[in-house]
């Protein structure tokens, strides 16, 4: 009996030594996970809707609109102001400067900001249209679809993601606008389907996903002048649109082109962009820590 009791005592002592270590390791890994992407809490973002009266944001927004209009040749081009990692107060400043469409790259950040805006007493805040422009994991589709005033998703890159959004999109809401993302440059660092697969994916959304509305196609061009001219990317996307329109039996003009960011939106507009996604030129450089 004494030997059994001794063994039990040893096991309890070892357990006491091991458990705190496991907790410490778990806490360390949890901290690493939390650092993988910015969150509203880590960035000190306000959880309630309020302006900061930042006249610089409004002035930059006005400048971007003027640059778009100068190259749009009278066409309507939707400016999606990308507020990734920026506080809600800057979104409020831009909104009261006349901006309606806002884009986010991270699903949780989008959900938090959209919920705060929707809960506001401000009619401007409640009237915003939110666009998701980041990478989607199918296990986050439900969270994304629960976002208040979600207007469009620009990053459908395969049938699995389309089916997940179709499954979770609330039936009582208007159809969700979606864009097929195309990897026009073939770079591993950029998301999207292969250009040759774009027409079929567009057809899948159009014919198999009644709760989704195929709005158009999207691409990410060259990130900077150092990577080269983004024109080839825009031309590839336009060709994908032409093929998709032929397959679907619709007019090309019925499919939008989401292309162009801070460094190349003017060039994208000249190539026929209907939506441009501009962030740092309006809100300044992003802060990740």
């Amino acid at each position: 009996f004494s030997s059994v009791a001794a063994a039990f005592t040893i096991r309890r002592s070892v357990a006491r030594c091991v458990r705190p270590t496991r907790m410490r390791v778990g806490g360390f890994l949890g901290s690493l996970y939390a650092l993988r992407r910015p969150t509203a809490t880590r960035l000190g973002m306000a959880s309630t809707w309020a302006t900061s009266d930042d006249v610089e944001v409004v002035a930059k927004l006005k400048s971007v609109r003027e640059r778009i209009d100068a190259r749009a040749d009278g066409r309507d081009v939707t400016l999606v102001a990308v507020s990734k990692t920026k506080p809600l107060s800057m979104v409020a400043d831009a909104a009261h400067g006349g901006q309606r469409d806002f884009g986010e790259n991270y699903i949780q950040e989008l959900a938090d900001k959209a919920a705060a805006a929707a809960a506001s007493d401000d009619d401007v805040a409640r009237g915003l249209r939110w666009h998701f422009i980041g990478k989607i994991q199918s296990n986050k589709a439900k969270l994304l679809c629960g976002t208040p005033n979600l207007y469009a998703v620009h990053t459908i890159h395969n049938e699995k993601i389309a089916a997940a959004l179709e499954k979770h999109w609330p039936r009582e809401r208007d159809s969700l606008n979606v864009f097929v993302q195309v990897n026009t440059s073939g770079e591993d660092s950029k998301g999207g389907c292969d250009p040759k697969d774009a027409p079929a994916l567009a057809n899948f959304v159009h014919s198999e996903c009644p709760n989704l509305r195929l709005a158009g196609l999207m691409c990410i061009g060259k990130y900077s002048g150092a990577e080269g001219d983004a024109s080839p990317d825009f031309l590839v996307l336009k060709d994908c649109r032409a093929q998709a329109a032929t397959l679907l039996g619709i007019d090309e003009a019925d499919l939008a082109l989401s292309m162009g960011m801070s460094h190349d939106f003017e060039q994208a507009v000249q190539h026929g962009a209907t939506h441009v996604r501009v962030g740092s030129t309006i809100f300044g450089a992003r802060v990740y820590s």
Side-chain angles (χ1 to χ4, degrees), residues 30 66 74 78 107 144 160 168 172 208 246 267:
E66 290 173 347
T78 299
I107 292 177
L144 178 59
K160 180 180 179 180
H168 293 294
E172 67 274 11
E208 302 296 331
T246 298
Q267 186 180 20

Side-chain angles (χ1 to χ4, degrees), residues 74-287:
R75 294 183 298 107
D76 288 332
V77 176
T78 299
L79 169 60
V80 179
V82 181
S83 47
K84 176 176 69 172
T85 80
K86 296 301 179 181
L88 192 61
S89 59
M90 295 185 79
V91 175
D93 291 332
H96 279 274
Q99 180 61 25
R100 186 185 183 194
D101 294 88
F102 290 87
E104 293 289 340
N105 287 67
Y106 304 113
I107 292 177
Q108 188 63 61
E109 185 178 353
L110 168 66
D112 292 344
K113 287 180 177 176
S120 169
D121 293 331
D122 188 342
D123 290 339
V124 171
R126 295 198 303 272
L128 299 185
R129 303 195 304 190
W130 294 93
H131 300 243
F132 185 70
I133 61 172
K135 183 177 180 180
I136 307 172
Q137 294 177 316
S138 56
N139 63 347
K140 295 292 182 67
K142 185 176 182 179
L143 174 61
L144 178 59
C145 288
T147 300
N149 295 325
L150 179 64
Y151 179 74
V153 173
H154 291 238
T155 47
I156 303 295
H157 62 279
N158 60 37
E159 292 183 4
K160 180 180 179 180
I161 294 300
L165 294 179
E166 167 68 20
K167 175 183 177 181
H168 293 294
W169 186 248
R171 302 299 186 262
E172 67 274 11
R173 296 174 67 173
D174 292 339
S175 297
L176 174 64
N177 297 294
V178 298
F179 291 75
V180 168
Q181 183 179 7
V182 184
N183 188 337
T184 52
S185 64
E187 298 170 272
D188 292 338
S189 60
K190 294 172 184 173
C193 66
D194 190 283
K196 65 179 174 54
D197 298 325
L201 180 54
N203 186 56
F204 176 81
V205 172
H206 181 72
S207 61
E208 302 296 331
C209 302
N211 292 300
L212 308 181
R213 173 185 172 271
L214 179 64
L217 292 84
M218 174 271 214
C219 78
I220 299 174
K222 300 293 188 297
Y223 284 125
S224 67
E227 288 191 7
D229 184 12
S231 294
D233 294 306
F234 302 150
L235 293 174
V236 169
L237 193 67
K238 291 177 72 174
D239 184 59
C240 289
R241 178 177 69 169
Q243 294 181 47
T246 298
L247 180 62
L248 272 58
I250 62 176
D251 194 287
E252 284 186 39
D254 292 333
L255 294 175
L257 293 173
S258 174
M259 57 189 195
M261 300 186 293
S262 282
H263 63 281
D264 61 5
F265 69 88
E266 290 166 296
Q267 186 180 20
V269 171
Q270 290 176 318
H271 279 280
T274 60
H275 295 67
V276 293
R277 311 175 304 273
V278 181
S280 58
T281 301
I282 297 171
F283 297 109
R286 297 184 178 100
V287 178

